[in-house]
Amino acid sequence: TAVHWKIINEGGFAAIVSALKAQPATALVQLDEPTLVTYGNYVGCMTGTSVDGLDLALIEVSPLNRATGEKETIAVLNALTLPIPKALHDMLLACGQPEDSSVDLLGECDTQLGRFIGTSIADWLKSLGIRASTIKAIGSHGQTVRHRPPGTLGTAFTLQIGDPNHIAEITGIDTVADFRRRDMAAGGEGAPLAPAFHKFLFGDTSTNTCVVNIGGISNISPLNERGGGFDTGPGNCLMDSWFCQHHPNHSESYDASGAWAASGRVHDGLLRRMLEDAYFLKRPPKSTGREYFNMAWLESHLRGQPDNIPAADVQATLSRLTATSLAEAIVKTMPDVRDVPICGGGRRNDHLISNVQAELNPREQADVRVMPCEAWGFDGDAIEAAAFAWLAYRRVASLKGNQ
C-alpha cells in the first residue's frame, strides 16, 4: 500500500528522532495545480464525545510521487493517550448538556482545555526530544460541547472548545482548529470528519470495507465509490451514562469489556421502541451527538415500558441498540460488506463487538469480518488524532480535507 502506518515504540524511536533532526522538516513541491504542498511533521489531538482522554499523534507526511501515482506517505511516529483531569472532565460533560451549561462555564472550559492540550503537547514533544520548531502545525479538534446539525434548529451550528490560541501560545506551533465549523460553513454536517482519512488509510483494501468508529457516538465510513460517511447513532454514550448512574463509586466510568451488559438480557420491547426513533429512519448524510442521545432520551423510552426493567437488562439492551443501529446502517449503505474494522474506544468492549458481529452475520451468512482495526495494522487509539494531524497538513497545503 502507498500508506505506511508505523507506531514506533520508545526503544526504536531514538533512531527516528535522529533521522528527523538530520533532515529538513519541510519540503516544498510545486504541483500542476497552483498550490504549494508543505511536507513534514504534524501533531493531531482529539477528545471525543466520551470525554475519556486526550489522544495525541505525531505524524510525518512525505511527498507525493506523481510519476508513479503514489499518494502521500504517512508515518505515525508516536501516539499517546492522556487522562483528562477529573475536575475538567466533569466540567466538560456538564458543558455539553444544555440544562447544565452557561456562558461562564463555556468560557472557563474553553480556556482550561486549551491550556491542558497545549501543555500536554509541549511536555510530550519534550519527552520525545523533539523541538517544536520541527513541527509544521498542530491540528486540534477540541471538545464538542454542542452539535446542532441541519434540521434540528432554525440555524444549524456546531461548537468545539479548547482555545487554539492557548495551544499555539504554549507550544509555539501554528495551530489549526474549528474543522467542524468550517465543514458546516461549506454545507456539510460538521461530522463525521474522519471518512476522508479512513479512505486514505484503508482505500487499497481488496474487499468491500466499511470502517466503523465507536466513540460516544458511532459513525461509519463506507469505502465505496460514493465515499463519505455519517453518524449512525449512539456508540458508548448511553451505556457509559447508564453505567455511571448505577455504579457511582466505581473506579471506571464505563462498562469494561461490556461485562455488566453481558450479565443482563435484552428487553425486546424497549429495543423496538428505541429503534423506532426518527433519527434511525433518517437518510444520510446525518450527524448527531449527546445533545440528542442522552439520559433524558433514554428515560423517555423507559417511561413508556409497562414493567420495571432491571438495570443490567437496560445495559444489555443499550449494547444491542448500538450494535443493531450500526449493522443496519452498514448493510443499507454497503450490502456486500465483507470487512468491518472497528476504531475508537468501543473496540475494547468485547460484548458490544460480539453483538455487532452477530447483527452483521445472520445464521445463514457468516462471512463479514468484524475486528478491531489493529487486525489491519492500525492503532485504534491513534487513528482519530492522526486524522486531525492529516487535516492540519491538508489545510496548510491548501488541499481538500473532505468531500
Side-chain angles (χ1 to χ4, degrees), residues 263-346:
S263 72
R265 298 177 60 182
V266 173
H267 190 282
D268 292 332
L270 176 60
L271 179 62
R272 280 195 304 270
R273 180 179 172 87
M274 291 191 294
L275 285 171
E276 290 171 354
D277 186 90
Y279 185 80
F280 301 121
L281 305 177
K282 184 181 179 182
R283 294 172 61 87
K286 59 182 180 177
S287 60
T288 189
R290 284 181 175 270
E291 303 83 3
Y292 190 82
F293 289 108
N294 51 32
M295 286 300 291
W297 182 90
L298 173 58
E299 288 163 1
S300 71
H301 289 291
L302 287 171
R303 285 195 296 270
Q305 298 303 306
D307 48 349
N308 187 18
I309 306 173
D313 291 359
V314 173
Q315 187 76 349
T317 307
L318 292 174
S319 179
R320 185 66 62 84
L321 172 69
T322 292
T324 301
S325 56
L326 256 175
E328 289 182 351
I330 292 169
V331 171
K332 285 179 182 177
T333 308
M334 183 178 275
D336 54 354
V337 65
R338 288 296 173 267
D339 279 344
V340 180
I342 308 288
C343 311

Side-chain angles (χ1 to χ4, degrees), residues 149-150 156 179-191 285-286 403:
F179 295 94
R180 298 195 185 279
R181 296 191 348 152
R182 183 67 184 88
D183 183 73
M184 193 171 277
E189 286 273 334
K286 59 182 180 177
Q403 295 179 341

Side-chain angles (χ1 to χ4, degrees), residues 110-196:
D110 185 39
T111 297
Q112 285 196 25
L113 181 59
R115 289 173 176 168
F116 173 68
I117 293 172
T119 301
S120 297
I121 292 173
D123 290 347
W124 178 51
L125 292 176
K126 184 177 180 180
S127 74
L128 296 175
I130 296 177
R131 301 188 311 274
S133 60
T134 67
I135 306 299
K136 298 306 301 177
I138 295 167
S140 178
H141 169 269
Q143 178 66 42
T144 298
V145 293
R146 198 77 85 249
H147 183 66
R148 301 293 193 188
T152 57
L153 287 180
T155 301
F157 72 93
T158 187
L159 182 60
Q160 289 70 43
I161 61 172
D163 188 356
N165 297 290
H166 283 284
I167 299 172
E169 185 68 23
I170 291 169
T171 62
I173 301 170
D174 290 347
T175 300
V176 184
D178 265 357
F179 295 94
R180 298 195 185 279
R181 296 191 348 152
R182 183 67 184 88
D183 183 73
M184 193 171 277
E189 286 273 334
L193 292 184

